[in-house]
Amino acid sequence: MPGRRAARDDPLSMDRALETGVELIDDEHRGLFSLANALQDAIESDTCDDETIANAIYSLTEYVTQHFSDEEDLMHEMGYPILGPRRSLHEQLTGDTMRYMAAYFNGQQVAASELGPFLTTWLRTHIQHEDMRFATWLRQREEA
């Protein structure tokens, strides 16, 4: 398929090293990477129209918001002691994502080409540090 990148070389893919072992979170992370790929593919396509790109941006932004809400609900339910700082990180990314979306809808085409890579870079870093910390805490809590 044109525009599709090989998974092993693709920063826009979820690999096993990013799996937390928390099914809900891992499933939603796969969804985020899939939507980021769909956006990038739409941007790189010669036949894609503005409406398709706008829909991909909107879907990705909505999914980011829903994922963070789901993640925070799980953390609250489990009694995660550093939920406050995590919520702040989520608010920061949500705000950044909304700024990209607003820029695109205000006619700044460059914003669309930056959103997918921005999100996946941020997401990979966030998973590797913050989500893995939560997963480790959750496993230790369940073992106690």
Side-chain angles (χ1 to χ4, degrees):
M1 177 180 291
R4 197 43 89 181
R5 293 158 300 280
R8 68 179 183 279
D9 299 327
D10 186 3
L12 297 177
S13 68
M14 168 111 173
D15 54 54
R16 293 185 71 73
L18 296 175
E19 291 180 1
T20 65
V22 180
E23 188 175 351
L24 170 70
I25 292 173
D26 289 340
D27 287 347
E28 289 189 358
H29 288 163
R30 284 184 202 91
L32 286 166
F33 280 104
S34 177
L35 288 168
N37 266 307
L39 172 59
Q40 200 62 35
D41 288 347
I43 292 165
E44 293 173 0
S45 172
D46 294 334
T47 60
C48 190
D49 59 24
D50 287 341
E51 183 177 349
T52 302
I53 293 172
N55 287 338
I57 290 172
Y58 181 77
S59 294
L60 186 56
T61 303
E62 285 293 303
Y63 201 90
V64 164
T65 303
Q66 184 61 52
H67 168 65
F68 287 157
S69 176
D70 291 345
E71 200 172 82
E72 290 169 13
D73 287 348
L74 177 62
M75 290 175 180
H76 177 74
E77 180 182 321
M78 295 292 122
Y80 192 49
I82 56 172
L83 174 58
R86 284 297 296 277
R87 192 171 276 139
S88 295
L89 286 172
H90 290 167
E91 289 170 359
Q92 177 187 352
L93 178 61
T94 300
D96 291 345
T97 304
M98 294 295 187
R99 281 187 283 285
Y100 273 100
M101 186 172 78
Y104 177 78
F105 287 118
N106 285 322
Q108 298 176 20
Q109 296 291 352
V110 70
S113 65
E114 294 172 359
L115 181 58
F118 160 77
L119 276 175
T120 52
T121 298
W122 198 98
L123 184 59
R124 290 180 80 80
T125 302
H126 185 75
I127 292 170
Q128 290 168 336
H129 299 282
E130 301 302 327
D131 289 344
M132 291 301 185
R133 182 182 301 149
F134 171 66
T136 299
W137 175 87
L138 190 58
R139 278 191 296 279
Q140 290 171 345
R141 181 181 177 273
E142 290 172 350
E143 292 170 359

